[in-house]
Structures are given as C-alpha cells and as structure tokens.
Amino acid sequence: MKDIEHESGVYHVTGEARYIDDLLVNERLLYGRVLYSKVSHGKIIACNIDAANELPGVKAILTHKDIPGPNQMGPVIHDELVLAKDRVTFIGQAIFLIAADSEEIAIEAEKLIEIKYKELPSILSIKDAIKKGKLIQPARKIETGDVDNSFSKAENIIEGELEIGGQEQWYLETQIALAMPGEGKELLVYSSTQHPSETQALIAEVMNLPKMEVEVQIRRMGGAFGGKETQANHVAIWACLLSKATGCPVKVRLFRDDDQIMTGKRHRFLMQYKAAFDKRGIIDAIHVVQHTDAGAATDLSMAILERAMMHADNAYYIPNMCIVGKAWFTNLPSNTAFRGFGGPQGMACMEQIIDRIGRMLKKDPADIRKINFYQNKKRNRTPYGQKVENNRLEPIFKTLLKTSEYKKRRTEINSFNANNEFFKKGMAFTPVKFGISFTTSFLNQAGALVHIYKDGTVLVNHGGTEMGQGLHTKIRQISAMELGIEIKNVKVNATTTAKVPNTSATAASAGTDLNGMAVKNATDKLKDRIGKRACEAFNEKLPKNGKRTKATDIRFANNTVYDLAHPKRKTAFHNAVLDAYFNQISLSATGYYKTPDIHFDRDKGKGKPYYYFAFGMAVTEILLDTLTGHFTNVRTDILHDVGDSLNLRLDIGQIEGGYIQGMGWCTTEELKWDDKGNLLNHSPDTYKIPNIQDIPKDFRVAVLKGYPNAEKTIRRSKAVAEPPLMLAFSCWLAIKDAISAVHEHQIEPMYSLPATNEVILLSIDDLKKRISL
Ligand code: MTE
Ligand code: MOS
C-alpha cells in the first residue's frame, strides 16, 4: 500500500488521461481568443471591430462594456481589470474577447481589429520603480533584536546587492478553461485551476451570479507550479463571458507564446543586505531590504513578499535582524505564485551572505553554515517570533556530510583546481528550512465528502486539486488505510465546488496535510457509524452467555470489520456496509480539518505562522569550463525530511523534480524584456528550462529516516512539494565556488541569480581584471 504508483501514471503514458482540451463537447463548441495589449502603458485612443465582426464564423466580440458584473478579477485586492477600458498597463493585458467557430477564424478576426494607442512612459524595472516611488502596497517590516547596536560594535561587516531573476512556471498544459451554459443561469466550468473555489467566486462576481449557479470542476492539471493559483481565474472568466454572450460552450486555451507573454511569473527581487559577524563567522545581525517586482496588479504579491521575508533567515539563527519588504508597481504582467512562493528568493540572499562570509574568512562555507544553524534549546527563535521546534538540521547535516563524502571531495576538488587552468570544479553544501502552512492563518482549512456505495467501494471527494504532484494518490492511500480496505476499491473524484465548497487553493505544499486530515475526519465518522451497526449485528447473534461486543473493540482492516475482543466475530467490509444500508444508516459523510495552533499578527510581524518546518540539505559538485561558461552537474546528494513518508516514490519524485526545477531557476531560466516591455523569450527555444542533459550525472536522493513528524499530521507525514526546489542553491553556489577558484578563492566574485553562461563569463572576466589591478 505504501509506495503505490501515481493514480494517473498509466493514463499519462497511454494518453488516456483526460485534460480539459480532451473533453468531448458538442458541435456548438466555440473557440475563444483573447486580444491583448501590445504596449506596456498607453491610452487606447481608437479601435475598430467592425471588419472582425463581419467575418463569417465570428460569434461574439466582447469589450469591458459587455461584463455583467464588476470589471474586476483581482483575487485579494480588486486592482485587476477583466478587460481593459481606455488605458492599458502591461503587454499581455486583455482588451477584447473573440468567440468563433474555429481557432483559425478567431485568429483571423483578431488581425482585423484595429487599436490605436497613445503610448505613455512605463516602469519596467525594480530600480526604475524605486526611483519613481511607486509601491503597489505599503511596505512591510519584520524585526527582532537591535540591529543598529550590533552593527555599531561588529567585528566584520559585509554589504551588497543581489539581483534575483523571475521564472516562468512552464506548466506543460497552458492556461485553459471550458465554460458550458446550463439551464437558467447555470454555468459549469472546467478550469485548469489550483483553486476552484476562488475561480467559482470570481466568475460569480464578474457574471453577477450567486455562487450556487456556478460549478467549477477539475480532474487534473497538466502542471501548475503556482501559476494556476490565481491566474487560471482569468481564462475561466473570459470563457464564461463568451459563453454567456453566445449561449454556447466556449473553450479558451492560451497558446504557449501568449501564455508566457500574458501571465505572471515568479517575482524578481533586488536584495540590499548588510551583515555583521565575528571572526569565527557567527552572524550577529542582518539588515535586508527586499524589493520585488509585483507587476501591474497586486495579485498574491504581498503574501509572496511575506513568505520571502519569513525565509530571509533560512536555516540560521540571527539574533538581530531587520527585514523590510517592498513590492513595486511595474508595467509588466502581475507576478504570481511559483513553487516556494517567495521563500526561495528570501533564502537566496541569506545563502549568498553565508557564502561571502566563508570566502572572506577563508573558511569552508559549510562550516560557517553549521555554526549558524538554529539550535534546539537556545538560539532557536525566528525573527517573526516562532520557535524552531523539532529541528532536523543536525541529523541531516551530519548524515549528508558523511554520505556525500564532502570533506574528501573538497580536497580532491582543490587539487583538481590547482592542476587545471581552464576547467574548474566547485561544490556547495546548502540547507533548506521551509515553513509549512498558509501564512494567512484562516486559509489553513479543508473539506471532504466521502461516499461508500452498497458494494463497498468508496468515492472520495476533497477540496484539493491534482497537478501531477500525486495528491489524489496520497488521498486514495489515506482513505484505503483508514477504512482498512484495498486501494482498488477507492477512487478519488474530480475536484468540484459542487461537492466540497469554500476550499483553499492547493498550494503552500499543504495539500495532503489539509485534505488528508479532512478525509480522515470523514472516514472516522463513517467507521463510527458502520462500526456501531456491526457491533449491534454481532450482539444480535450472541450465543447464550456470550460476551457483548463493544463499539471500542471494532477494527477495520484487511477488507474486514473485526471485533478485537472476539477474534471469531468478523464480517467482510462490503457486508458490513450493506447491513448498515438496510438498517437505514447514512453511508456518506463530510469531513473537515483546520490546522491547530497557528496565528500571525501582520502589523506586529510576530506569531506562529507555521505548523511545522520541513528541512533538507543538498551537496552539489559541478565542473565549469571557464572559457565558455558552460557547467556540468557532476553529482548531487540530497537528504530531505518528509517525516514518515506516505509514498516514497511520489516523495522522491517531488524532491528530484523540485531540485531540477530550482536548478533551472538558478542557472538557465532568464527572463528578458526589451526597453518597451516586450518579453523577448516566450517560447522554449529561447527560454531555457532544464532538459534531460541537465540532470546531475550522479543523482543521489534520500529521505531522512526515523524522524516522523512531531506534529499530529496525517500519519506523521510531512509536506514535500515546495521545499526541495531550494536545494538547488547548492548548484548555484557550486558554480560560484568554481568561478572563485579561478583566483584561488582570494576575491569575492560578482554574482547574481540565475547564473547564466553570460553571468558566469562576466564574473570570471571581472575577476581577472581585478587580479591584474
Ligand atoms: N508537482 C507537479 N508534478 N506539478 C505541479 O504543478 N506544483 C508544486 C508542487 N509540486 C506541482 C508539483 C507546488 S507550487 C505546490 S504548492 C504543491 O505541489 C501543491 O501540491 P501539494 O500541496 O499537494 O503538495
Ligand atoms: Mo505552490 S507556489 O504554493 O502553488
């Protein structure tokens, strides 16, 4: 039962898996297309849609005037238009919607629409936004200790800036929705969304409908990675508008290039930092200002910034720390969630600081890390006031140091570098500590609805969504284990707002923690009912002087309901179910869960926002060609903490995938815009995501054994999803280590993220120039 395969695995490889684009609709299906702004900031001074309207096969062309409800689709703050009015604020902003008999006709229609813009000055970089003072929301601060005092008496101080790039989510299935009008006001929407309840809510608002008329359904997404947490709402809303206007089913699916141009990405950041430390390398204070590019609307930027701020410490105890967070307006698509949700950006800066301290003190950065780690009894409070409890840093560090042969390889690398002029090797050992829970505490809730049918098979509905991570597989396992039945008798239904209402996004890595517990709550109720009836049934057939069965003796296991006190009294699960049915007992139950004991006061910047932390560490060794800037990942060792794994296969998959995705962000995935705000690389030929050749030549992934989650999570498991992405800092800093070997680690190389070939070569060039000075 433990390590079963992904429930869609076979469907994925046979092509049987039904994605939204595969759904069979009727001949009335229309294709929707979105005409978007081609200027980053401007006034729309004229437009003409007459010719497009006359094109045969065109069924509707909609503008902002055709929206029944408010022209707003901002998920948290209402600062995002469904369709632009007289002004556009980024390239990719929707202006017109077209519905036509075919995609080709819709494209033809789009070409016939004329728009005249008067271009206005736009803000396209964080530095420019800072200069113009355009914050998207008020700045935030988290503070502990006395930073100024620490700096005034510090032995060593380093200061600097770190530029961190964004990242395109690159889900394989681009944004898509299919809206089907029902009778009366009904709308059934198939949406590739991580957050069906929010998609439903925003559709209802924009369409001016009560939520009960809107059902949002999703079987599975072809990947999401945060990119469909809020921005799947957009295409779903557009599809609904076109569907209502035409009375037909309408599908809107974005082409890859359009998707990359129109939708938000991981936030870029500019970090300005200053750190105080002693001669051993123990850090006493850090001041960091985190500037981020929110884009043209708030979207999730403030929550993402909050997580960046709360991860500015990564795995280290910093007694005096001040973190200021500023999200800036730019004339670019609104940036959004991406695996790690700001955490990676916050942590990158911390790792850069540690790395610099190591080089400055001529010590191995791994040793600097170790002496700064959070401790168990003291030196364990985060800047936002939460204690780091059940800390796994020490066992992970110790084990990985040994299994990765770190010290031995360090010596080998040094001698390799001494003997090679153009090739240099580099290695880095980096930790991850990641807080699990939504930092907006009330979001930490989930619901389920479990049906048992008369044949003993079980259909599980829960509020989480499947995006490839294996949530439905884990839920299926949990249900089967709780009910003591075989996995083949449990099925997880497509997620729909009609079955489980008012859910939170499947995000923050908490999908299994939350929904798994909600499902358990439902199966507990069902077991209680069926168990009570089984108990009665056993007692009805009691032999003379036989001892009565107590409800507390009933157990569910091996497809059987047992009376533990009387081993002979047992009945098959499906018989117990049928018997309950004939005795008029409900075989359907809802479940609910909320994470206990978490809270956060935003104004004070203090609280216990996380139920627990996930930990992990990685060691990466790379080989760098200093003449081309090309590097090879020679070997990566990972040890990651997933508590008691629910499914090792899935967990290893998430760890490997997270690392590789993080490596893409840290090395090759560079977003480039021209000076007009056009995204220059919006397809895989110019935007370089990792491919099979980028995988470490020797990839050793293990999970920490013998450390169940100390909190009462489902079967003492831990979230996996996001944290492994940040293990890729070991690759990023291994490259820096190799660059720095060009001059025997004497000079701090200039560096940024991603470390593209260009960044690497410029950094080497700069080193050489500084040496010759
Ligand atoms: N894994 C796959 N295959 N596809 C995805 O889209 N999204 C990631 C992660 N792993 C993703 C993935 C992100 S951003 C999150 S928050 C979690 O999965 C969400 O799922 P979970 O909470 O059920 O782990
Ligand atoms: Mo994940 S970024 O929390 O969807």
Side-chain angles (χ1 to χ4, degrees):
M1 171 86 70
K2 243 185 138 46
D3 301 327
I4 61 161
E5 67 197 33
H6 193 289
E7 49 92 51
S8 314
V10 171
Y11 298 156
H12 285 158
V13 293
T14 58
E16 258 186 287
R18 292 272 187 101
Y19 294 90
I20 290 169
D21 208 19
D22 303 318
L23 296 178
L24 294 174
V25 197
N26 52 38
E27 66 286 352
R28 298 179 59 212
L29 175 69
L30 301 177
Y31 293 83
R33 193 162 166 86
V34 188
L35 191 162
Y36 57 78
S37 170
K38 304 292 187 290
V39 304
S40 58
H41 187 199
K43 274 206 170 114
I44 300 175
I45 44 178
C47 41
N48 189 341
I49 57 171
D50 295 347
N53 253 329
E54 279 160 25
L55 192 71
V58 170
K59 293 291 154 66
I61 299 180
L62 306 182
T63 73
H64 68 96
K65 292 183 192 137
D66 303 304
I67 300 171
N71 182 8
Q72 271 301 334
M73 58 177 184
V76 185
I77 308 231
H78 270 3
D79 64 354
E80 204 168 0
L81 298 176
V82 175
L83 293 172
K85 285 194 269 192
D86 48 358
R87 204 166 73 101
V88 286
T89 53
F90 65 94
I91 293 174
Q93 183 176 12
I95 307 171
F96 292 105
L97 301 174
I98 305 165
D101 286 335
S102 73
E103 218 154 34
E104 290 73 23
I105 297 172
I107 292 168
E108 280 312 305
E110 180 182 342
K111 288 184 196 151
L112 295 175
I113 294 177
E114 288 167 43
I115 303 176
K116 264 209 194 114
Y117 305 97
K118 179 180 184 288
E119 288 193 48
L120 298 167
S122 47
I123 302 173
L124 298 169
S125 71
I126 295 178
K127 286 199 170 150
D128 194 28
I130 296 173
K131 217 186 285 161
K132 302 208 167 100
K134 214 158 167 197
L135 281 172
I136 204 154
Q137 298 293 334
R140 300 272 305 272
K141 194 180 199 177
I142 291 176
E143 201 170 12
T144 187
D146 187 341
V147 174
D148 292 339
N149 179 43
S150 170
F151 279 117
S152 69
K153 50 178 207 214
E155 278 177 55
N156 296 299
I157 291 179
I158 53 168
E159 261 182 279
E161 279 191 355
L162 178 67
E163 282 185 44
I164 301 173
Q167 186 181 20
E168 162 62 41
Q169 288 84 1
W170 238 94
Y171 25 70
L172 289 178
E173 176 204 43
T174 54
Q175 304 278 3
I176 184 166
L178 166 64
M180 316 257 276
E183 57 183 39
K185 294 175 178 166
E186 269 176 21
L187 266 173
L188 170 60
V189 187
Y190 295 93
S191 162
S192 183
T193 173
Q194 286 173 254
H195 198 347
S197 287
E198 187 180 83
T199 306
Q200 175 203 29
L202 282 164
I203 289 170
E205 278 179 39
V206 173
M207 303 305 297
N208 204 11
L209 290 172
K211 292 189 179 63
M212 64 185 179
E213 300 288 359
V214 182
E215 178 184 351
V216 173
Q217 215 184 96
I218 173 68
R219 171 76 266 181
R220 64 173 68 76
M221 285 161 271
F225 303 109
K228 295 173 182 173
E229 196 175 327
T230 58
Q231 302 205 354
N233 300 335
H234 306 180
V235 290
I237 292 167
W238 297 327
C240 288
L241 286 167
L242 288 170
S243 177
K244 269 285 160 184
T246 57
C248 294
V250 176
K251 180 156 73 182
V252 177
R253 56 171 191 193
L254 299 186
F255 289 167
R256 173 68 59 191
D257 294 74
D258 292 333
D259 189 305
Q260 268 183 260
I261 291 168
M262 295 168 72
T263 65
K265 305 172 194 332
R266 182 188 294 291
H267 288 67
R268 349 176 229 185
F269 271 74
L270 170 68
M271 304 292 191
Q272 296 170 326
Y273 62 87
K274 189 171 162 187
F277 52 97
D278 67 13
K279 55 179 174 300
R280 294 166 300 172
I282 293 180
I283 303 171
D284 193 56
I286 290 180
H287 188 282
V288 57
V289 186
Q290 305 183 334
H291 300 280
T292 190
D293 172 0
T298 308
D299 187 86
L300 296 170
S301 293
M302 295 318 284
I304 287 163
L305 180 62
E306 182 168 272
R307 188 169 277 270
M309 294 170 74
M310 286 185 191
H311 285 76
D313 57 336
N314 191 11
Y316 313 105
Y317 173 68
I318 318 290
N320 305 288
M321 193 161 189
C322 177
I323 310 144
V324 177
K326 295 183 176 182
W328 299 96
F329 173 94
T330 59
N331 290 102
L332 292 168
S334 181
N335 284 317
T336 192
F338 192 146
R339 201 171 192 169
F341 205 77
Q345 295 93 318
M347 286 153 67
C349 184
M350 183 70 231
E351 290 305 323
Q352 164 82 340
I353 291 172
I354 294 259
D355 185 81
R356 282 191 60 182
I357 294 174
R359 197 165 291 101
M360 184 170 155
L361 299 178
K362 311 243 172 317
K363 289 183 175 174
D364 189 329
D367 296 328
I368 306 290
R369 291 190 164 89
K370 181 169 181 270
I371 56 174
N372 284 290
F373 279 153
Y374 278 108
Q375 303 292 309
N376 292 323
K377 296 223 166 60
K378 46 188 179 22
R379 293 177 63 82
N380 65 355
R381 202 172 282 279
T382 62
Y384 47 91
Q386 175 160 359
K387 261 195 196 163
V388 180
E389 289 167 309
N390 308 301
N391 182 343
R392 308 289 189 236
L393 292 168
E394 200 189 306
I396 296 178
F397 186 80
K398 254 196 191 152
T399 312
L400 192 61
L401 197 68
K402 222 187 288 156
T403 55
S404 69
E405 306 164 287
Y406 182 81
K407 296 279 174 193
K408 179 178 137 237
R409 285 161 69 206
R410 178 57 77 195
T411 318
E412 286 167 5
I413 288 170
N414 287 344
S415 79
F416 176 93
N417 287 341
N419 293 313
N420 287 276
E421 187 181 354
F422 299 125
F423 279 93
K424 295 290 176 191
K425 280 189 173 181
M427 187 164 69
F429 192 135
T430 62
V432 170
K433 167 187 126 287
F434 195 81
I436 303 297
S437 291
F438 289 99
T439 56
T440 302
S441 300
F442 72 82
L443 293 175
N444 295 286
Q445 56 172 311
L449 174 63
V450 178
H451 303 318
I452 305 181
Y453 295 98
K454 285 186 277 178
D455 62 354
T457 62
V458 178
L459 185 69
V460 181
N461 299 276
H462 65 96
T465 55
E466 176 63 39
M467 56 195 97
Q469 84 277 41
L471 173 60
H472 284 354
T473 310
K474 286 185 172 177
I475 294 289
R476 196 173 170 215
Q477 283 179 284
I478 291 164
S479 318
M481 289 191 284
E482 291 300 321
L483 292 169
I485 59 175
E486 279 179 89
I487 201 92
K488 70 172 182 4
N489 291 332
V490 181
K491 182 176 159 146
V492 178
N493 208 18
T495 313
T496 153
T497 53
K499 293 276 167 60
V500 182
N502 312 321
T503 55
S504 291
T506 305
S509 304
T512 306
D513 282 6
L514 298 173
N515 295 288
M517 278 304 226
V519 166
K520 181 181 185 304
N521 179 236
T523 54
D524 280 349
K525 289 181 190 169
L526 291 164
K527 279 186 346 192
D528 190 54
R529 290 181 210 157
I530 299 165
K532 276 196 183 124
R533 172 59 212 152
C535 192
E536 271 172 31
F538 290 143
N539 290 334
E540 279 162 14
K541 293 186 204 132
L542 211 58
K544 264 207 181 117
N545 306 326
K547 217 171 151 211
R548 293 181 69 79
T549 299
K550 293 193 302 251
T552 48
D553 288 330
I554 297 290
R555 284 295 177 280
F556 290 72
N558 311 319
N559 299 312
T560 308
V561 181
Y562 293 98
D563 172 358
L564 281 193
H566 307 84
K568 282 197 187 133
R569 287 181 207 162
K570 59 180 179 184
T571 181
F573 177 79
H574 64 271
N575 285 334
V577 164
L578 198 59
D579 182 51
Y581 167 75
F582 285 125
N583 283 278
Q584 297 167 300
I585 289 164
S586 161
L587 291 168
S588 173
T590 57
Y592 183 79
Y593 175 74
K594 61 174 183 178
T595 310
D597 191 30
I598 48 173
H599 52 89
F600 185 66
D601 183 333
R602 264 191 192 142
D603 297 329
K604 295 200 180 99
K606 296 282 174 206
K608 185 193 169 194
Y610 302 116
Y611 192 32
Y612 62 87
F613 294 99
F615 302 91
M617 292 189 200
V619 179
T620 296
E621 178 184 336
I622 65 100
L623 175 67
L624 180 67
D625 178 343
T626 61
L627 297 179
T628 62
H630 180 77
F631 81 92
T632 307
N633 190 328
V634 178
R635 175 173 161 185
T636 296
D637 293 65
I638 290 172
L639 185 58
H640 198 78
D641 159 37
V642 292
D644 268 352
S645 175
L646 279 166
N647 185 322
L648 199 58
R649 279 214 251 179
L650 291 178
D651 287 349
I652 296 275
Q654 285 290 297
I655 297 167
E656 290 177 349
Y659 176 87
I660 301 292
Q661 192 167 42
M663 224 179 74
W665 171 54
C666 287
T667 61
T668 59
E669 295 184 43
E670 186 186 25
L671 296 160
K672 286 206 172 206
W673 290 269
D674 68 9
D675 58 5
K676 292 276 190 190
N678 288 293
L679 180 64
L680 295 174
N681 44 358
H682 42 75
S683 68
D685 52 356
T686 46
Y687 182 79
K688 172 74 180 73
I689 58 170
N691 69 16
I692 196 111
Q693 292 158 25
D694 299 312
I695 294 171
K697 298 293 166 255
D698 185 354
F699 201 10
R700 308 183 189 197
V701 179
V703 298
L704 182 68
K705 296 261 164 65
Y707 289 88
N709 197 339
E711 299 302 334
K712 290 195 189 86
T713 50
I714 186 81
R715 296 188 170 247
R716 302 287 175 161
S717 63
K718 266 194 185 183
V720 57
E722 295 172 286
L725 181 129
M726 288 145 268
L727 297 169
F729 292 139
S730 60
C731 180
W732 179 56
L733 290 175
I735 297 170
K736 190 178 171 200
D737 186 44
I739 295 173
S740 132
V742 169
H743 191 50
E744 287 89 41
H745 306 288
Q746 299 300 308
I747 302 178
E748 173 63 29
M750 80 190 195
Y751 209 48
S752 51
L753 190 158
T756 56
N757 281 20
E758 204 175 340
V759 167
I760 293 169
L761 285 178
L762 286 172
S763 177
I764 293 171
D765 199 44
D766 171 74
L767 264 192
K768 288 186 175 155
K769 276 189 201 136
R770 277 149 71 198
I771 297 164
S772 54
L773 284 181

Short mmCIF file of all heavy atoms in Angstrom, two decimals, residues 194 225-227 229 337-341 467 506-509 722, ligand 2:
data_model
loop_
_atom_site.label_atom_id
_atom_site.label_comp_id
_atom_site.label_asym_id
_atom_site.label_seq_id
_atom_site.Cartn_x
_atom_site.Cartn_y
_atom_site.Cartn_z
N GLN A 194 -5.79 25.65 -9.66
CA GLN A 194 -5.40 25.10 -8.36
C GLN A 194 -6.40 25.50 -7.29
O GLN A 194 -6.32 25.05 -6.16
CB GLN A 194 -4.03 25.68 -7.94
CG GLN A 194 -2.84 25.14 -8.68
CD GLN A 194 -1.55 25.88 -8.33
OE1 GLN A 194 -1.06 26.67 -9.12
NE2 GLN A 194 -1.01 25.63 -7.15
N PHE A 225 2.37 24.53 -10.70
CA PHE A 225 3.53 25.12 -10.03
C PHE A 225 3.27 26.52 -9.48
O PHE A 225 4.18 27.35 -9.42
CB PHE A 225 4.74 25.11 -10.98
CG PHE A 225 5.09 23.74 -11.48
CD1 PHE A 225 4.86 23.37 -12.80
CD2 PHE A 225 5.60 22.79 -10.61
CE1 PHE A 225 5.15 22.09 -13.24
CE2 PHE A 225 5.90 21.50 -11.04
CZ PHE A 225 5.67 21.15 -12.36
N GLY A 226 2.04 26.79 -9.10
CA GLY A 226 1.69 28.10 -8.57
C GLY A 226 1.09 29.01 -9.63
O GLY A 226 0.34 29.93 -9.33
N GLY A 227 1.39 28.71 -10.90
CA GLY A 227 0.92 29.56 -11.99
C GLY A 227 -0.58 29.50 -12.21
O GLY A 227 -1.16 30.34 -12.90
N GLU A 229 -2.67 29.27 -9.47
CA GLU A 229 -3.28 29.51 -8.16
C GLU A 229 -4.29 30.65 -8.26
O GLU A 229 -5.39 30.57 -7.73
CB GLU A 229 -2.19 29.83 -7.13
CG GLU A 229 -2.69 29.72 -5.70
CD GLU A 229 -1.60 29.90 -4.66
OE1 GLU A 229 -0.45 29.51 -4.91
OE2 GLU A 229 -1.91 30.44 -3.59
N ALA A 337 2.29 33.33 -7.90
CA ALA A 337 2.87 32.20 -7.16
C ALA A 337 3.75 31.34 -8.06
O ALA A 337 3.45 31.15 -9.24
CB ALA A 337 1.76 31.34 -6.58
N PHE A 338 4.81 30.86 -7.50
CA PHE A 338 5.63 29.83 -8.14
C PHE A 338 6.34 29.09 -7.02
O PHE A 338 7.01 29.69 -6.19
CB PHE A 338 6.66 30.44 -9.10
CG PHE A 338 7.35 29.43 -10.00
CD1 PHE A 338 7.70 29.77 -11.30
CD2 PHE A 338 7.63 28.15 -9.56
CE1 PHE A 338 8.32 28.85 -12.14
CE2 PHE A 338 8.24 27.22 -10.39
CZ PHE A 338 8.61 27.57 -11.67
N ARG A 339 6.15 27.77 -7.02
CA ARG A 339 6.80 26.85 -6.08
C ARG A 339 7.83 27.53 -5.16
O ARG A 339 8.90 27.95 -5.62
CB ARG A 339 7.48 25.74 -6.88
CG ARG A 339 7.73 24.49 -6.08
CD ARG A 339 8.20 23.40 -7.00
NE ARG A 339 8.19 22.10 -6.36
CZ ARG A 339 8.35 20.95 -7.02
NH1 ARG A 339 8.49 20.96 -8.31
NH2 ARG A 339 8.33 19.81 -6.38
N GLY A 340 7.47 27.61 -3.92
CA GLY A 340 8.33 28.27 -2.94
C GLY A 340 7.76 29.60 -2.49
O GLY A 340 8.00 30.05 -1.37
N PHE A 341 7.00 30.25 -3.40
CA PHE A 341 6.15 31.38 -3.05
C PHE A 341 6.92 32.49 -2.32
O PHE A 341 6.53 32.95 -1.25
CB PHE A 341 5.02 30.85 -2.15
CG PHE A 341 3.75 31.65 -2.14
CD1 PHE A 341 2.86 31.59 -3.19
CD2 PHE A 341 3.43 32.47 -1.07
CE1 PHE A 341 1.67 32.30 -3.17
CE2 PHE A 341 2.24 33.20 -1.03
CZ PHE A 341 1.35 33.11 -2.10
N MET A 467 -2.24 18.24 -9.68
CA MET A 467 -1.48 18.93 -10.74
C MET A 467 -0.26 18.12 -11.15
O MET A 467 0.67 18.65 -11.76
CB MET A 467 -1.11 20.34 -10.29
CG MET A 467 -0.34 20.40 -8.99
SD MET A 467 -0.31 22.07 -8.26
CE MET A 467 -1.66 21.96 -7.09
N THR A 506 -4.97 24.65 -3.59
CA THR A 506 -3.99 23.59 -3.33
C THR A 506 -2.64 24.24 -3.55
O THR A 506 -2.20 24.47 -4.67
CB THR A 506 -4.20 22.40 -4.28
OG1 THR A 506 -5.55 21.98 -4.14
CG2 THR A 506 -3.27 21.26 -3.95
N ALA A 507 -2.03 24.58 -2.44
CA ALA A 507 -0.82 25.39 -2.50
C ALA A 507 -0.13 25.32 -1.15
O ALA A 507 -0.60 24.61 -0.25
CB ALA A 507 -1.18 26.84 -2.83
N ALA A 508 0.97 26.06 -1.04
CA ALA A 508 1.73 26.10 0.20
C ALA A 508 2.16 24.70 0.66
O ALA A 508 2.39 24.47 1.84
CB ALA A 508 0.94 26.82 1.31
N SER A 509 2.22 23.79 -0.27
CA SER A 509 2.67 22.40 -0.03
C SER A 509 1.76 21.64 0.92
O SER A 509 2.07 20.53 1.33
CB SER A 509 4.11 22.37 0.55
OG SER A 509 4.98 23.04 -0.30
N GLU A 722 7.16 22.01 -2.16
CA GLU A 722 7.98 23.18 -2.49
C GLU A 722 9.43 23.14 -1.97
O GLU A 722 10.34 23.51 -2.70
CB GLU A 722 7.30 24.45 -1.95
CG GLU A 722 5.97 24.75 -2.61
CD GLU A 722 5.26 25.90 -1.92
OE1 GLU A 722 4.72 25.68 -0.81
OE2 GLU A 722 5.26 27.00 -2.46
MO1 MOS B 2 2.52 26.50 -4.78
S1 MOS B 2 3.58 28.17 -5.29
O1 MOS B 2 2.13 27.16 -3.19
O2 MOS B 2 1.12 26.75 -5.69
#
